Amino acid sequence: MKNLLSAICAAATLLLPGCTPKDPVEARVDELLSRMTLSEKIAQMNQLSGRTDMREAVAGGTVGSILNCVDPAEINELQRIAVEQTRLGIPILFGRDVIHGFRTIFPIPLGLAATFDPALVEQGARIAAVEATASGIRWTFSPMLDIARDPRWGRVAEGSGEDPYLDAQMGAAMVRGYQGGDLSSPDAMAACVKHFAGYGAAEGGRDYNSTMISERSLRNTYLPPFKAAIDAGAATLMTSFNEIDGIPSTGNSFLLRDILRDEWGFDGMVVTDWNSSGEMVAHGFAADLKDATRISVNAGVDMDMMSHGFSAYIEELVREGKISVKSIDKAVGNILRLKFRLGLFDNPYVDASAAAQACYTPEHLQAAKLAAAESAILLQNHGEVLPLENARRILVTGPMADAPYEQLGTWIFDGEEEHTVTPLAALRKRFEVVYVPALAYSRDNSTAHLAEARAAAAGCDAAVVFVGEESILSGEAHSLSSLDLQGSQSQLIAEVRRSGKPVVVVVMAGRPLTIERDLANCDAMLYMFHPGTMGGEAVADLLTGCIAPSGKTPMTFLREAGQVPYYYNHNNSGRPCKGNETLLADIPLKAGQTSLGNTGFYLDSGYGPLFPFGYGLSYTTFVYSNIRLSKQRYGTDETIVVEYDLQNTGHRSGTEVAQLYIRDMVGSTVRPVKELKRFERVSLDAGQSRHLRFELPVSELAFWGMDMQYRVEPGAFRLWVAGDSASGEPVEFEVL
Ligand code: BGC
């Protein structure tokens, strides 16, 4: 009845003679807002965790959104209380961290980024939305768009890695997938871009830590993925825990008002991270929770996740004139707008009986398998040991071979390990398998069963060693200072190597680990990140050659943790490394002091990474040729057309990720040595050649320069089309 009344009122607003017709949602927001008391407004700004009984809070009209309640029957009951028992009947918005799948778990986001396949990532997000909304979850706290250049930080697992363009493509794809074409459709889930901003730049890779990011690098590097995802329609945004140059993001009006609202025109809703408002007290930026509340609301936060400060202090702060009613109306308007856009007022309930059937459908499992297969990066394949075509009997060993929970990765609140297909289970269907776990879990330091694994390998045609990280070793608050394989995993690989049989290592981890020593002890290495529910089937398809690996590194792989941070799109020093630097072992005793001609390399580990960004092999080989531009000189409003030929020069079909990089040779500020601007997955049969093209508007060469204006600076550029960020010969062009 209440809903009907508000609809009639809204319609009346629309029809008033002489009035400009208003967007129907805006009219409904304004009408509802005009009937709300201050305490009803404050309730909307309060989000609570549903790990405890929420019925009293909902009946008391003190909460606008609940996270972590996933039982559809309970969601319906809470919704019924909100709609029928509160004065205005405003429905609750239920949120959840649906990060890489709800029940059907896809690869972790870093693995998804390795696919370089936004269409598949979009499909994965759509599937996550279909499964989660069937339980009544209409809001996910994803995608995480934090550029991460430090693999010590556990949350690298949750993002798309080090590159702004790749991150932007993946973020926008996820937003489209979660939200579908129409946010009001019952299977649409509002996306939440997070964490705004700079969270991935935590000093030392220690989670939550301070960041020191200039406005220019914020705008050139950290913000573009957020802008892209917002342009793709992201309905909400989450602030971050960190401070930038002394200002915690939850209290940063430059980020939340000047950039987000005024420059980008965002009309969605802003939520804090979990207690990030309250944590401004620990930062020493707010005196107490009341002060933190004042700072957050005035900075532009709409909803408080779990600091409890908004519900406790806003009324008082308004009375004291420290927060204006206008800013409360703005915040509540943003929240109501989202609830109207989601269609919650018209259709607040979920069909609880359909929740289970929505999950694990054959289509969902098939997409998860494909994503896992595409996320695998072939780092080494000596003697074309892979695919294992002539092996009949194989040794399967290592702590990740049959670890159904661990292969799902971080943030899988609703994933169920009973549905996981492990490598062991899948490989048993394809090979005669001898299984020796050797280590119970990734941190297992025991060496008791390593010899057993070696002996078993000796009796097999090949050995496949599954190593990596348990899921708890990455994700939030799980930073590491060593990036080597944990426990006795490296010893296990070395021991199996001694069998003399071909050794294939499969890594399932939450981050790029330092695996140089392990590469030396195996013939082939497939790097998977945590692959999710269907990881085992994907591995089996890859090892047998049903699918050729096509993943590419979404972050630079390092030799040593001491090289961090290291990313391909860095600026040049005045003494760029040449690759002929003198390493420790070559320095003579009592060498005289000299620095002339030396560069910024490490005496012990040199300069280069283990594998560059964008790197990954296939079971075949690809050759790029005839890279040519439509012109040599371009105006700023023109489009560069790059044509090239790509040939599969091997004996198997395969898929290559062709990548286009540019370098702006001279800028008003120093420009990165390379920047990814386009990529495309290209499938080719053995021997097949294709003539391909990229189009790049010159406007996409713009950046924030010396005068902090966003523009393309005329001058010389270089362009590469190659299979990774370190290959290819440049082609030159000029912007007039
Ligand atoms: C994380 C967020 C997450 C939130 C809700 C926080 O600890 O930083 O990414 O969405 O919890 O679970």
Side-chain angles (χ1 to χ4, degrees), residues 47 51 67-68 96-97 99 140-142 144 155 158 194-195 199 207-208 238-239 241 272-274 305 411 413 476:
Q47 184 188 51
R51 286 188 191 133
L67 77 159
N68 298 332
R96 181 70 156 174
D97 290 278
I99 306 298
T140 178
F141 307 116
S142 170
M144 186 188 99
R155 300 196 83 168
E158 297 175 51
K194 72 184 187 186
H195 307 85
Y199 182 39
D207 208 356
Y208 316 122
M238 185 186 289
T239 66
F241 288 123
T272 70
D273 201 344
W274 185 285
M305 181 192 286
W411 287 109
F413 284 160
E476 187 175 349

PDB file of all heavy atoms in Angstrom, residues 47 51 67-68 96-97 99 140-142 144 155 158 194-195 199 207-208 238-239 241 272-274 305 411 413 476, ligand 1:
ATOM      1  N   GLN A  47      25.077   0.738   7.842  1.00  0.00           N
ATOM      2  CA  GLN A  47      25.140  -0.648   7.377  1.00  0.00           C
ATOM      3  C   GLN A  47      25.693  -1.528   8.490  1.00  0.00           C
ATOM      4  O   GLN A  47      26.698  -1.191   9.120  1.00  0.00           O
ATOM      5  CB  GLN A  47      26.055  -0.771   6.153  1.00  0.00           C
ATOM      6  CG  GLN A  47      26.058  -2.181   5.589  1.00  0.00           C
ATOM      7  CD  GLN A  47      27.083  -2.389   4.498  1.00  0.00           C
ATOM      8  OE1 GLN A  47      28.253  -2.065   4.658  1.00  0.00           O
ATOM      9  NE2 GLN A  47      26.646  -2.929   3.377  1.00  0.00           N
ATOM     10  N   ARG A  51      25.944 -11.009  10.733  1.00  0.00           N
ATOM     11  CA  ARG A  51      26.422 -12.251  11.353  1.00  0.00           C
ATOM     12  C   ARG A  51      25.659 -12.506  12.644  1.00  0.00           C
ATOM     13  O   ARG A  51      25.638 -13.597  13.167  1.00  0.00           O
ATOM     14  CB  ARG A  51      27.923 -12.158  11.627  1.00  0.00           C
ATOM     15  CG  ARG A  51      28.720 -12.272  10.336  1.00  0.00           C
ATOM     16  CD  ARG A  51      30.209 -12.368  10.595  1.00  0.00           C
ATOM     17  NE  ARG A  51      30.927 -12.218   9.322  1.00  0.00           N
ATOM     18  CZ  ARG A  51      31.973 -11.428   9.152  1.00  0.00           C
ATOM     19  NH1 ARG A  51      32.441 -10.720  10.154  1.00  0.00           N
ATOM     20  NH2 ARG A  51      32.554 -11.355   7.982  1.00  0.00           N
ATOM     21  N   LEU A  67      25.173  -6.419   5.488  1.00  0.00           N
ATOM     22  CA  LEU A  67      26.091  -7.286   4.743  1.00  0.00           C
ATOM     23  C   LEU A  67      26.242  -8.597   5.493  1.00  0.00           C
ATOM     24  O   LEU A  67      25.984  -8.666   6.700  1.00  0.00           O
ATOM     25  CB  LEU A  67      27.454  -6.618   4.513  1.00  0.00           C
ATOM     26  CG  LEU A  67      28.503  -6.521   5.617  1.00  0.00           C
ATOM     27  CD1 LEU A  67      29.880  -6.316   5.009  1.00  0.00           C
ATOM     28  CD2 LEU A  67      28.201  -5.401   6.594  1.00  0.00           C
ATOM     29  N   ASN A  68      26.600  -9.613   4.749  1.00  0.00           N
ATOM     30  CA  ASN A  68      26.892 -10.934   5.313  1.00  0.00           C
ATOM     31  C   ASN A  68      25.677 -11.712   5.791  1.00  0.00           C
ATOM     32  O   ASN A  68      25.814 -12.611   6.626  1.00  0.00           O
ATOM     33  CB  ASN A  68      27.933 -10.839   6.443  1.00  0.00           C
ATOM     34  CG  ASN A  68      29.247 -10.306   5.924  1.00  0.00           C
ATOM     35  OD1 ASN A  68      29.565 -10.483   4.754  1.00  0.00           O
ATOM     36  ND2 ASN A  68      29.995  -9.616   6.766  1.00  0.00           N
ATOM     37  N   ARG A  96      27.260  -8.300  -0.037  1.00  0.00           N
ATOM     38  CA  ARG A  96      28.137  -9.435   0.254  1.00  0.00           C
ATOM     39  C   ARG A  96      29.400  -9.304  -0.580  1.00  0.00           C
ATOM     40  O   ARG A  96      29.363  -8.776  -1.695  1.00  0.00           O
ATOM     41  CB  ARG A  96      27.403 -10.724  -0.132  1.00  0.00           C
ATOM     42  CG  ARG A  96      28.169 -12.014   0.121  1.00  0.00           C
ATOM     43  CD  ARG A  96      28.320 -12.313   1.578  1.00  0.00           C
ATOM     44  NE  ARG A  96      28.522 -13.730   1.861  1.00  0.00           N
ATOM     45  CZ  ARG A  96      28.796 -14.173   3.083  1.00  0.00           C
ATOM     46  NH1 ARG A  96      28.891 -13.350   4.110  1.00  0.00           N
ATOM     47  NH2 ARG A  96      28.966 -15.474   3.292  1.00  0.00           N
ATOM     48  N   ASP A  97      30.492  -9.811  -0.063  1.00  0.00           N
ATOM     49  CA  ASP A  97      31.702  -9.868  -0.877  1.00  0.00           C
ATOM     50  C   ASP A  97      31.614 -11.062  -1.827  1.00  0.00           C
ATOM     51  O   ASP A  97      32.007 -12.172  -1.482  1.00  0.00           O
ATOM     52  CB  ASP A  97      32.937 -10.021   0.013  1.00  0.00           C
ATOM     53  CG  ASP A  97      33.218  -8.765   0.810  1.00  0.00           C
ATOM     54  OD1 ASP A  97      33.834  -7.848   0.257  1.00  0.00           O
ATOM     55  OD2 ASP A  97      32.800  -8.709   1.987  1.00  0.00           O
ATOM     56  N   ILE A  99      33.364 -12.007  -4.766  1.00  0.00           N
ATOM     57  CA  ILE A  99      34.582 -11.440  -5.363  1.00  0.00           C
ATOM     58  C   ILE A  99      35.000 -12.146  -6.652  1.00  0.00           C
ATOM     59  O   ILE A  99      35.363 -11.512  -7.622  1.00  0.00           O
ATOM     60  CB  ILE A  99      35.739 -11.462  -4.334  1.00  0.00           C
ATOM     61  CG1 ILE A  99      35.306 -10.769  -3.036  1.00  0.00           C
ATOM     62  CG2 ILE A  99      37.001 -10.826  -4.902  1.00  0.00           C
ATOM     63  CD1 ILE A  99      34.947  -9.308  -3.151  1.00  0.00           C
ATOM     64  N   THR A 140      27.357  -6.373  -4.548  1.00  0.00           N
ATOM     65  CA  THR A 140      28.636  -7.006  -4.233  1.00  0.00           C
ATOM     66  C   THR A 140      29.718  -5.959  -4.037  1.00  0.00           C
ATOM     67  O   THR A 140      29.682  -4.898  -4.665  1.00  0.00           O
ATOM     68  CB  THR A 140      29.094  -7.977  -5.342  1.00  0.00           C
ATOM     69  OG1 THR A 140      30.382  -8.504  -4.969  1.00  0.00           O
ATOM     70  CG2 THR A 140      29.229  -7.298  -6.706  1.00  0.00           C
ATOM     71  N   PHE A 141      30.662  -6.259  -3.164  1.00  0.00           N
ATOM     72  CA  PHE A 141      31.783  -5.337  -2.936  1.00  0.00           C
ATOM     73  C   PHE A 141      32.921  -5.720  -3.875  1.00  0.00           C
ATOM     74  O   PHE A 141      33.981  -6.191  -3.463  1.00  0.00           O
ATOM     75  CB  PHE A 141      32.204  -5.385  -1.472  1.00  0.00           C
ATOM     76  CG  PHE A 141      31.054  -5.153  -0.534  1.00  0.00           C
ATOM     77  CD1 PHE A 141      30.640  -6.136   0.344  1.00  0.00           C
ATOM     78  CD2 PHE A 141      30.343  -3.962  -0.567  1.00  0.00           C
ATOM     79  CE1 PHE A 141      29.564  -5.940   1.182  1.00  0.00           C
ATOM     80  CE2 PHE A 141      29.254  -3.753   0.264  1.00  0.00           C
ATOM     81  CZ  PHE A 141      28.860  -4.742   1.142  1.00  0.00           C
ATOM     82  N   SER A 142      32.686  -5.544  -5.127  1.00  0.00           N
ATOM     83  CA  SER A 142      33.642  -5.914  -6.167  1.00  0.00           C
ATOM     84  C   SER A 142      33.303  -5.082  -7.399  1.00  0.00           C
ATOM     85  O   SER A 142      32.132  -4.728  -7.576  1.00  0.00           O
ATOM     86  CB  SER A 142      33.505  -7.421  -6.458  1.00  0.00           C
ATOM     87  OG  SER A 142      34.241  -7.792  -7.595  1.00  0.00           O
ATOM     88  N   MET A 144      37.677  -5.008  -7.131  1.00  0.00           N
ATOM     89  CA  MET A 144      38.770  -4.276  -6.503  1.00  0.00           C
ATOM     90  C   MET A 144      39.696  -3.783  -7.602  1.00  0.00           C
ATOM     91  O   MET A 144      40.218  -4.582  -8.380  1.00  0.00           O
ATOM     92  CB  MET A 144      39.555  -5.175  -5.540  1.00  0.00           C
ATOM     93  CG  MET A 144      40.608  -4.374  -4.787  1.00  0.00           C
ATOM     94  SD  MET A 144      41.754  -5.337  -3.782  1.00  0.00           S
ATOM     95  CE  MET A 144      43.165  -5.418  -4.877  1.00  0.00           C
ATOM     96  N   ARG A 155      46.710  -8.667  -0.899  1.00  0.00           N
ATOM     97  CA  ARG A 155      45.513  -8.365  -1.680  1.00  0.00           C
ATOM     98  C   ARG A 155      45.795  -8.218  -3.173  1.00  0.00           C
ATOM     99  O   ARG A 155      44.873  -7.932  -3.939  1.00  0.00           O
ATOM    100  CB  ARG A 155      44.804  -7.136  -1.113  1.00  0.00           C
ATOM    101  CG  ARG A 155      44.389  -7.354   0.336  1.00  0.00           C
ATOM    102  CD  ARG A 155      43.363  -6.373   0.836  1.00  0.00           C
ATOM    103  NE  ARG A 155      42.017  -6.773   0.463  1.00  0.00           N
ATOM    104  CZ  ARG A 155      40.895  -6.221   0.962  1.00  0.00           C
ATOM    105  NH1 ARG A 155      40.986  -5.238   1.854  1.00  0.00           N
ATOM    106  NH2 ARG A 155      39.714  -6.635   0.584  1.00  0.00           N
ATOM    107  N   GLU A 158      43.332 -10.035  -5.211  1.00  0.00           N
ATOM    108  CA  GLU A 158      41.962  -9.555  -5.442  1.00  0.00           C
ATOM    109  C   GLU A 158      41.826  -8.568  -6.583  1.00  0.00           C
ATOM    110  O   GLU A 158      40.720  -8.116  -6.884  1.00  0.00           O
ATOM    111  CB  GLU A 158      41.434  -8.869  -4.174  1.00  0.00           C
ATOM    112  CG  GLU A 158      41.317  -9.772  -2.988  1.00  0.00           C
ATOM    113  CD  GLU A 158      40.901  -8.963  -1.771  1.00  0.00           C
ATOM    114  OE1 GLU A 158      39.913  -8.206  -1.838  1.00  0.00           O
ATOM    115  OE2 GLU A 158      41.586  -9.067  -0.735  1.00  0.00           O
ATOM    116  N   LYS A 194      36.276  -0.570  -5.597  1.00  0.00           N
ATOM    117  CA  LYS A 194      37.005  -0.359  -4.347  1.00  0.00           C
ATOM    118  C   LYS A 194      38.479  -0.591  -4.596  1.00  0.00           C
ATOM    119  O   LYS A 194      38.834  -1.207  -5.596  1.00  0.00           O
ATOM    120  CB  LYS A 194      36.465  -1.292  -3.265  1.00  0.00           C
ATOM    121  CG  LYS A 194      36.848  -2.786  -3.452  1.00  0.00           C
ATOM    122  CD  LYS A 194      36.190  -3.656  -2.405  1.00  0.00           C
ATOM    123  CE  LYS A 194      36.705  -5.083  -2.498  1.00  0.00           C
ATOM    124  NZ  LYS A 194      36.006  -6.005  -1.594  1.00  0.00           N
ATOM    125  N   HIS A 195      39.376  -0.145  -3.741  1.00  0.00           N
ATOM    126  CA  HIS A 195      39.127   0.699  -2.581  1.00  0.00           C
ATOM    127  C   HIS A 195      39.650   2.064  -2.973  1.00  0.00           C
ATOM    128  O   HIS A 195      40.825   2.179  -3.310  1.00  0.00           O
ATOM    129  CB  HIS A 195      39.842   0.159  -1.358  1.00  0.00           C
ATOM    130  CG  HIS A 195      39.539  -1.296  -1.065  1.00  0.00           C
ATOM    131  ND1 HIS A 195      40.220  -2.328  -1.662  1.00  0.00           N
ATOM    132  CD2 HIS A 195      38.634  -1.890  -0.247  1.00  0.00           C
ATOM    133  CE1 HIS A 195      39.747  -3.495  -1.217  1.00  0.00           C
ATOM    134  NE2 HIS A 195      38.772  -3.253  -0.358  1.00  0.00           N
ATOM    135  N   TYR A 199      45.020   2.167  -2.258  1.00  0.00           N
ATOM    136  CA  TYR A 199      45.219   1.148  -1.219  1.00  0.00           C
ATOM    137  C   TYR A 199      46.337   0.174  -1.570  1.00  0.00           C
ATOM    138  O   TYR A 199      47.052  -0.315  -0.687  1.00  0.00           O
ATOM    139  CB  TYR A 199      43.874   0.438  -1.050  1.00  0.00           C
ATOM    140  CG  TYR A 199      43.759  -0.630  -0.006  1.00  0.00           C
ATOM    141  CD1 TYR A 199      44.378  -0.522   1.244  1.00  0.00           C
ATOM    142  CD2 TYR A 199      42.966  -1.757  -0.245  1.00  0.00           C
ATOM    143  CE1 TYR A 199      44.215  -1.506   2.197  1.00  0.00           C
ATOM    144  CE2 TYR A 199      42.798  -2.740   0.704  1.00  0.00           C
ATOM    145  CZ  TYR A 199      43.437  -2.621   1.921  1.00  0.00           C
ATOM    146  OH  TYR A 199      43.264  -3.602   2.858  1.00  0.00           O
ATOM    147  N   ASP A 207      49.681  -4.558   4.736  1.00  0.00           N
ATOM    148  CA  ASP A 207      48.298  -4.162   4.498  1.00  0.00           C
ATOM    149  C   ASP A 207      47.899  -2.964   5.365  1.00  0.00           C
ATOM    150  O   ASP A 207      48.369  -2.818   6.497  1.00  0.00           O
ATOM    151  CB  ASP A 207      47.350  -5.336   4.759  1.00  0.00           C
ATOM    152  CG  ASP A 207      46.086  -5.228   3.907  1.00  0.00           C
ATOM    153  OD1 ASP A 207      45.937  -4.218   3.187  1.00  0.00           O
ATOM    154  OD2 ASP A 207      45.267  -6.153   3.953  1.00  0.00           O
ATOM    155  N   TYR A 208      47.038  -2.145   4.816  1.00  0.00           N
ATOM    156  CA  TYR A 208      46.455  -0.957   5.472  1.00  0.00           C
ATOM    157  C   TYR A 208      47.456   0.190   5.610  1.00  0.00           C
ATOM    158  O   TYR A 208      47.143   1.223   6.184  1.00  0.00           O
ATOM    159  CB  TYR A 208      45.898  -1.265   6.879  1.00  0.00           C
ATOM    160  CG  TYR A 208      45.095  -2.539   6.972  1.00  0.00           C
ATOM    161  CD1 TYR A 208      45.462  -3.566   7.847  1.00  0.00           C
ATOM    162  CD2 TYR A 208      43.952  -2.707   6.200  1.00  0.00           C
ATOM    163  CE1 TYR A 208      44.711  -4.725   7.938  1.00  0.00           C
ATOM    164  CE2 TYR A 208      43.193  -3.873   6.288  1.00  0.00           C
ATOM    165  CZ  TYR A 208      43.581  -4.877   7.156  1.00  0.00           C
ATOM    166  OH  TYR A 208      42.847  -6.023   7.242  1.00  0.00           O
ATOM    167  N   MET A 238      33.555   2.154  -2.795  1.00  0.00           N
ATOM    168  CA  MET A 238      33.982   1.999  -1.394  1.00  0.00           C
ATOM    169  C   MET A 238      35.263   2.780  -1.156  1.00  0.00           C
ATOM    170  O   MET A 238      36.188   2.740  -1.975  1.00  0.00           O
ATOM    171  CB  MET A 238      34.228   0.516  -1.086  1.00  0.00           C
ATOM    172  CG  MET A 238      34.556   0.226   0.361  1.00  0.00           C
ATOM    173  SD  MET A 238      35.019  -1.526   0.632  1.00  0.00           S
ATOM    174  CE  MET A 238      33.444  -2.338   0.416  1.00  0.00           C
ATOM    175  N   THR A 239      35.339   3.454  -0.030  1.00  0.00           N
ATOM    176  CA  THR A 239      36.565   4.179   0.305  1.00  0.00           C
ATOM    177  C   THR A 239      37.610   3.164   0.780  1.00  0.00           C
ATOM    178  O   THR A 239      37.301   1.999   1.005  1.00  0.00           O
ATOM    179  CB  THR A 239      36.328   5.221   1.418  1.00  0.00           C
ATOM    180  OG1 THR A 239      35.993   4.530   2.626  1.00  0.00           O
ATOM    181  CG2 THR A 239      35.223   6.191   1.043  1.00  0.00           C
ATOM    182  N   PHE A 241      41.086   1.977   3.291  1.00  0.00           N
ATOM    183  CA  PHE A 241      41.590   2.090   4.667  1.00  0.00           C
ATOM    184  C   PHE A 241      42.779   3.046   4.784  1.00  0.00           C
ATOM    185  O   PHE A 241      42.998   3.634   5.829  1.00  0.00           O
ATOM    186  CB  PHE A 241      42.102   0.720   5.139  1.00  0.00           C
ATOM    187  CG  PHE A 241      41.034  -0.299   5.424  1.00  0.00           C
ATOM    188  CD1 PHE A 241      41.029  -1.527   4.780  1.00  0.00           C
ATOM    189  CD2 PHE A 241      40.064  -0.057   6.386  1.00  0.00           C
ATOM    190  CE1 PHE A 241      40.073  -2.495   5.074  1.00  0.00           C
ATOM    191  CE2 PHE A 241      39.096  -1.015   6.683  1.00  0.00           C
ATOM    192  CZ  PHE A 241      39.098  -2.238   6.026  1.00  0.00           C
ATOM    193  N   THR A 272      31.798   3.332   3.226  1.00  0.00           N
ATOM    194  CA  THR A 272      33.148   3.218   3.794  1.00  0.00           C
ATOM    195  C   THR A 272      33.586   1.772   3.702  1.00  0.00           C
ATOM    196  O   THR A 272      32.768   0.880   3.494  1.00  0.00           O
ATOM    197  CB  THR A 272      33.186   3.588   5.297  1.00  0.00           C
ATOM    198  OG1 THR A 272      32.504   2.565   6.047  1.00  0.00           O
ATOM    199  CG2 THR A 272      32.551   4.938   5.561  1.00  0.00           C
ATOM    200  N   ASP A 273      34.867   1.521   3.898  1.00  0.00           N
ATOM    201  CA  ASP A 273      35.275   0.141   4.122  1.00  0.00           C
ATOM    202  C   ASP A 273      34.944  -0.176   5.585  1.00  0.00           C
ATOM    203  O   ASP A 273      34.575   0.705   6.374  1.00  0.00           O
ATOM    204  CB  ASP A 273      36.760  -0.078   3.805  1.00  0.00           C
ATOM    205  CG  ASP A 273      37.058  -1.556   3.531  1.00  0.00           C
ATOM    206  OD1 ASP A 273      36.213  -2.417   3.878  1.00  0.00           O
ATOM    207  OD2 ASP A 273      38.126  -1.870   2.981  1.00  0.00           O
ATOM    208  N   TRP A 274      35.107  -1.430   5.939  1.00  0.00           N
ATOM    209  CA  TRP A 274      34.705  -1.920   7.270  1.00  0.00           C
ATOM    210  C   TRP A 274      35.368  -1.073   8.370  1.00  0.00           C
ATOM    211  O   TRP A 274      36.586  -1.153   8.559  1.00  0.00           O
ATOM    212  CB  TRP A 274      35.103  -3.386   7.394  1.00  0.00           C
ATOM    213  CG  TRP A 274      34.659  -4.070   8.646  1.00  0.00           C
ATOM    214  CD1 TRP A 274      35.189  -3.908   9.890  1.00  0.00           C
ATOM    215  CD2 TRP A 274      33.608  -5.038   8.771  1.00  0.00           C
ATOM    216  NE1 TRP A 274      34.543  -4.717  10.776  1.00  0.00           N
ATOM    217  CE2 TRP A 274      33.567  -5.425  10.119  1.00  0.00           C
ATOM    218  CE3 TRP A 274      32.703  -5.616   7.883  1.00  0.00           C
ATOM    219  CZ2 TRP A 274      32.660  -6.375  10.604  1.00  0.00           C
ATOM    220  CZ3 TRP A 274      31.811  -6.561   8.362  1.00  0.00           C
ATOM    221  CH2 TRP A 274      31.783  -6.926   9.701  1.00  0.00           C
ATOM    222  N   MET A 305      29.972   1.498   6.943  1.00  0.00           N
ATOM    223  CA  MET A 305      30.040   0.064   7.164  1.00  0.00           C
ATOM    224  C   MET A 305      30.698  -0.193   8.511  1.00  0.00           C
ATOM    225  O   MET A 305      31.910  -0.079   8.670  1.00  0.00           O
ATOM    226  CB  MET A 305      30.843  -0.615   6.034  1.00  0.00           C
ATOM    227  CG  MET A 305      30.941  -2.131   6.166  1.00  0.00           C
ATOM    228  SD  MET A 305      32.161  -2.893   5.044  1.00  0.00           S
ATOM    229  CE  MET A 305      31.330  -2.802   3.486  1.00  0.00           C
ATOM    230  N   TRP A 411      38.705 -14.914  -0.281  1.00  0.00           N
ATOM    231  CA  TRP A 411      37.355 -14.334  -0.425  1.00  0.00           C
ATOM    232  C   TRP A 411      36.385 -15.285  -1.142  1.00  0.00           C
ATOM    233  O   TRP A 411      35.872 -14.964  -2.216  1.00  0.00           O
ATOM    234  CB  TRP A 411      37.388 -13.008  -1.184  1.00  0.00           C
ATOM    235  CG  TRP A 411      37.943 -11.872  -0.408  1.00  0.00           C
ATOM    236  CD1 TRP A 411      39.152 -11.277  -0.624  1.00  0.00           C
ATOM    237  CD2 TRP A 411      37.336 -11.143   0.670  1.00  0.00           C
ATOM    238  NE1 TRP A 411      39.331 -10.250   0.265  1.00  0.00           N
ATOM    239  CE2 TRP A 411      38.239 -10.142   1.068  1.00  0.00           C
ATOM    240  CE3 TRP A 411      36.127 -11.245   1.356  1.00  0.00           C
ATOM    241  CZ2 TRP A 411      37.984  -9.245   2.105  1.00  0.00           C
ATOM    242  CZ3 TRP A 411      35.860 -10.356   2.386  1.00  0.00           C
ATOM    243  CH2 TRP A 411      36.779  -9.373   2.749  1.00  0.00           C
ATOM    244  N   PHE A 413      33.592 -16.655   0.577  1.00  0.00           N
ATOM    245  CA  PHE A 413      32.655 -16.867   1.687  1.00  0.00           C
ATOM    246  C   PHE A 413      31.613 -17.949   1.363  1.00  0.00           C
ATOM    247  O   PHE A 413      31.225 -18.713   2.220  1.00  0.00           O
ATOM    248  CB  PHE A 413      31.896 -15.584   1.980  1.00  0.00           C
ATOM    249  CG  PHE A 413      32.691 -14.553   2.719  1.00  0.00           C
ATOM    250  CD1 PHE A 413      32.308 -13.215   2.691  1.00  0.00           C
ATOM    251  CD2 PHE A 413      33.811 -14.906   3.462  1.00  0.00           C
ATOM    252  CE1 PHE A 413      33.016 -12.249   3.389  1.00  0.00           C
ATOM    253  CE2 PHE A 413      34.531 -13.951   4.161  1.00  0.00           C
ATOM    254  CZ  PHE A 413      34.124 -12.615   4.121  1.00  0.00           C
ATOM    255  N   GLU A 476      43.276 -10.310   2.326  1.00  0.00           N
ATOM    256  CA  GLU A 476      43.396  -9.191   3.264  1.00  0.00           C
ATOM    257  C   GLU A 476      44.224  -9.548   4.495  1.00  0.00           C
ATOM    258  O   GLU A 476      44.057 -10.614   5.080  1.00  0.00           O
ATOM    259  CB  GLU A 476      41.995  -8.732   3.706  1.00  0.00           C
ATOM    260  CG  GLU A 476      42.077  -7.477   4.546  1.00  0.00           C
ATOM    261  CD  GLU A 476      40.717  -6.913   4.920  1.00  0.00           C
ATOM    262  OE1 GLU A 476      39.707  -7.354   4.365  1.00  0.00           O
ATOM    263  OE2 GLU A 476      40.687  -6.030   5.799  1.00  0.00           O
TER     264      GLU A 476
HETATM  265  C1  BGC B   1      37.579  -5.263   3.095  1.00  0.00           C
HETATM  266  C2  BGC B   1      36.624  -4.956   1.964  1.00  0.00           C
HETATM  267  C3  BGC B   1      35.378  -5.771   2.114  1.00  0.00           C
HETATM  268  C4  BGC B   1      34.767  -5.465   3.469  1.00  0.00           C
HETATM  269  C5  BGC B   1      33.451  -6.179   3.719  1.00  0.00           C
HETATM  270  C6  BGC B   1      36.924  -5.187   4.452  1.00  0.00           C
HETATM  271  O1  BGC B   1      37.738  -5.704   5.438  1.00  0.00           O
HETATM  272  O2  BGC B   1      38.672  -4.377   3.029  1.00  0.00           O
HETATM  273  O3  BGC B   1      37.248  -5.191   0.734  1.00  0.00           O
HETATM  274  O4  BGC B   1      34.485  -5.502   1.078  1.00  0.00           O
HETATM  275  O5  BGC B   1      35.680  -5.859   4.471  1.00  0.00           O
HETATM  276  O6  BGC B   1      33.618  -7.520   3.960  1.00  0.00           O
END
